[in-house]
Amino acid sequence: MGEGPVSHAITGDISTWGSAPRRAGSMTQLMSNVRTWFSARPVKADTSQSDSPGTALGVTTPSAVRLEIERRAAFRDAFVAGAELAVEMSEADEMDPPDSDIWNRAAGLLSTFAPLVPSPLVHPLQLGGLSCEWHDRGLNIELRFRRDSTVFAVIEDARREVPEFHGRDPSLSRTLQALGALSERAHQSAPSCRGS
Amino acid sequence: MPRVAVAPSGVSQPQEWITDPLERLIRRFRLNKAKFIVVDQITGKRRPPAAAFEPRLPENRPNATRHDKYLSVNVVSSLTNAGLPADWGLDRTQFVAAQLNVDACHSVGFHVTWEPVLGQSNPAHDNPHHGGIQGAVELYRSDMDSFEVAISKLAKASEVIP
């Protein structure tokens, strides 16, 4: 997995990450849950990003705090935009409304990564599901969350550092490695051809 | 004035298979308010998400008026034969269009047919250039993992048209 910040964030059984999913009976509740998942949380010391002497003692730098807040907000906005599109398409009779169980599960699983990686593109899927995908810094990472806790992952790396994978990844074990690589590359200063 | 059928190249009848692997198809898809378009990091192309190749399913919507038997596309040679651009009929305030070849559909086991839509109560809804990517609905219902792989490949083979 490596020594990057994502690996430090990964502990325990993935099913216990975050709070227990809250069943949302409406879009309003779903949006509220999404905002809660990606609200600011206590920041752990980041000794890999030292720009002040105090970091080694566990003090988080102002720039790290600011970056975390920005990334959580970006994640929240990405989920909200995806949910709004889902509602729009549902009202146009093109798909089911978002399944709050599926969306809550996805938000809960990914909230851990919100401070560490760029925000994903969130797009609704048929039968209430959603996809979260990153196309950045040489990596294509796609996660499709569907009913019955199914997660299908697509992982491709132009640099060939992360093994290619197309298949079910319910525990996100394959995805963690890819997101770890994305996090490490995002900390570098190289420009990306992320999208438009 | 009602629209008339304009057959794609190499096709003469509705529901006939389009076999030219290089025939281009236009698939439209929605973007969220951020209007973010994926740049595939392997191919470098601007392309749709795989979700753009999901059929609209009525399983949980018994009263659905919009659901798919196949994936709707426009057939470029039919448009060209009628002197129309590839993005004909596209509402750019809501949709983006991507093109892919018939060969990409064949590579995942789907075939493509010409499916002109004519004689609608509102002639503006006629589409003589309409085609269908056949097999996606059946695959979704029979083998979900293969379906996921298929839509990934279709998305990767597509490119957003300007």
Side-chain angles (χ1 to χ4, degrees):
Chain A
M1 181 71 207
E3 294 296 318
V6 169
S7 62
H8 288 256
I10 301 166
T11 57
D13 181 0
I14 190 172
S15 66
T16 65
W17 289 356
S19 310
R22 280 162 284 184
R23 187 175 294 273
S26 68
M27 270 305 298
T28 303
Q29 186 62 54
L30 175 61
M31 294 294 193
S32 175
N33 288 350
V34 166
R35 291 185 175 95
T36 300
W37 282 121
F38 299 113
S39 61
R41 300 195 178 172
V43 179
K44 293 182 181 179
D46 182 3
T47 57
S48 68
Q49 294 193 71
S50 172
D51 63 0
S52 84
T55 302
L57 300 177
V59 176
T60 303
T61 63
S63 62
V65 171
R66 183 169 54 248
L67 182 61
E68 171 165 338
I69 292 173
E70 289 172 355
R71 282 190 166 156
R72 286 193 180 278
F75 255 73
R76 177 202 62 219
D77 293 346
F79 266 75
V80 168
E84 288 176 345
L85 178 59
V87 169
E88 184 182 316
M89 294 180 71
S90 170
E91 291 176 349
D93 196 25
E94 294 187 356
M95 62 170 34
D96 295 308
D99 184 313
S100 57
D101 287 345
I102 300 174
W103 283 68
N104 274 322
R105 184 168 194 273
L109 287 172
L110 295 180
S111 63
T112 304
F113 304 102
L116 303 168
V117 297
S119 59
L121 167 66
V122 179
H123 202 286
L125 297 174
Q126 292 289 323
L127 303 184
L130 73 155
S131 70
C132 300
E133 47 191 285
W134 295 260
H135 302 273
D136 195 5
R137 292 170 170 87
L139 287 160
N140 289 331
I141 305 170
E142 301 175 29
L143 297 175
R144 296 182 209 139
F145 296 87
R146 301 191 187 269
R147 57 189 173 186
D148 301 328
S149 300
T150 301
V151 183
F152 189 90
V154 174
I155 299 168
E156 299 171 334
D157 185 7
R159 301 184 192 179
R160 299 179 183 271
E161 294 170 357
V162 178
E164 182 172 320
F165 180 76
H166 295 247
R168 296 197 183 201
D169 191 23
S171 62
L172 299 191
S173 57
R174 298 280 193 145
T175 307
L176 293 177
Q177 183 179 7
L179 289 178
L182 179 60
S183 175
E184 289 171 12
R185 295 179 194 180
H187 278 82
Q188 297 167 6
S189 58
S192 70
C193 55
R194 183 183 177 197
S196 58
Chain B
M1 175 173 289
R3 291 170 177 157
V4 296
V6 182
S9 301
V11 174
S12 58
Q13 298 290 334
Q15 287 82 55
E16 189 173 336
W17 287 32
I18 299 173
T19 57
D20 179 4
L22 299 181
E23 173 68 80
R24 289 176 294 152
L25 308 171
I26 305 296
R27 173 80 174 161
R28 71 177 189 181
F29 62 100
R30 288 181 188 262
L31 291 178
N32 66 24
K33 63 183 179 183
K35 305 297 184 189
F36 185 89
I37 295 180
V38 164
V39 175
D40 190 289
Q41 299 293 292
I42 306 298
T43 66
K45 293 181 180 178
R46 300 170 76 232
R47 66 159 175 86
F53 292 94
E54 284 200 309
R56 295 174 299 183
L57 299 168
E59 271 79 334
N60 296 334
R61 298 181 293 133
N63 299 319
T65 58
R66 294 186 175 187
H67 58 91
D68 294 326
K69 297 179 182 177
Y70 47 72
L71 297 176
S72 287
V73 293
N74 280 350
V75 185
V76 171
S77 69
S78 174
L79 291 165
T80 303
N81 292 343
L84 297 171
D87 64 350
W88 171 81
L90 180 69
D91 177 0
R92 287 185 180 272
T93 64
Q94 295 188 71
F95 297 97
V96 178
Q99 74 173 17
L100 71 162
N101 290 348
V102 165
D103 188 49
C105 303
H106 291 170
S107 74
V108 297
F110 299 158
H111 65 275
V112 184
T113 54
W114 180 40
E115 304 284 342
V117 177
L118 297 169
Q120 299 293 290
S121 55
N122 181 350
H125 294 162
D126 284 356
N127 183 356
H129 319 290
H130 188 243
I133 300 176
Q134 307 284 349
V137 174
E138 293 81 0
L139 190 61
Y140 188 105
R141 290 171 175 157
S142 64
D143 185 344
M144 197 59 200
D145 289 348
S146 295
F147 174 82
E148 298 279 19
V149 171
I151 62 173
S152 294
K153 288 185 176 179
L154 291 180
K156 200 168 195 67
S158 306
E159 187 168 14
V160 170
I161 61 175

